Amino acid sequence: MTIPDAGAAVYSDVTVSGVAGNAPAALAVGVNIVHSYSGDVVVDLVAPDGSTYRLKNSSGSSTPNVSTTYTVNASSEVANGTWRLKVQDVYRADTGYINSWKLTF
């Protein structure tokens, strides 16, 4: 999914089913974003109820790509439902795309 240069946020959805109860206190969010300037990128996890968890702020980093696993305390969220990765490029001149992402319960 292409991330527009200094444009609107894009969303990538994952539907979770068959998990009893709430998400864990240490929900692992694996992210692989290809972008020529990682400092341009803001990344959020959006829970099924619309709650947003900031994974990465924009920064001055000129390092390419965002390939890491974040840990989120999502224990107040029901596990089943549609989870969204929200990604936005907040500065001009560099572009990228969401390569992949996953939740590990």
Side-chain angles (χ1 to χ4, degrees):
M1 174 172 293
T2 301
I3 304 164
D5 188 28
V10 295
Y11 295 84
S12 177
D13 296 351
V14 170
T15 300
V16 175
S17 64
V19 178
N22 286 2
L27 176 62
V29 185
V31 175
N32 184 295
I33 297 171
V34 176
H35 196 283
S36 55
Y37 202 93
S38 67
D40 288 6
V41 178
V42 175
V43 182
D44 294 305
L45 177 68
V46 183
D49 71 355
S51 298
T52 302
Y53 298 87
R54 176 64 41 102
L55 303 178
K56 180 191 173 301
N57 285 311
S58 63
S59 67
S61 175
S62 61
T63 305
N65 307 327
V66 179
S67 185
T68 191
T69 299
Y70 299 97
T71 302
V72 174
N73 181 354
S75 60
S76 65
E77 305 293 343
V78 173
N80 292 328
T82 301
W83 293 79
R84 307 181 91 191
L85 189 71
K86 176 184 174 186
V87 181
Q88 185 172 13
D89 180 330
V90 296
Y91 295 104
R92 291 211 174 277
D94 299 288
T95 60
Y97 59 92
I98 300 171
N99 188 44
S100 64
W101 73 284
K102 68 179 180 177
L103 298 173
T104 304
F105 286 83

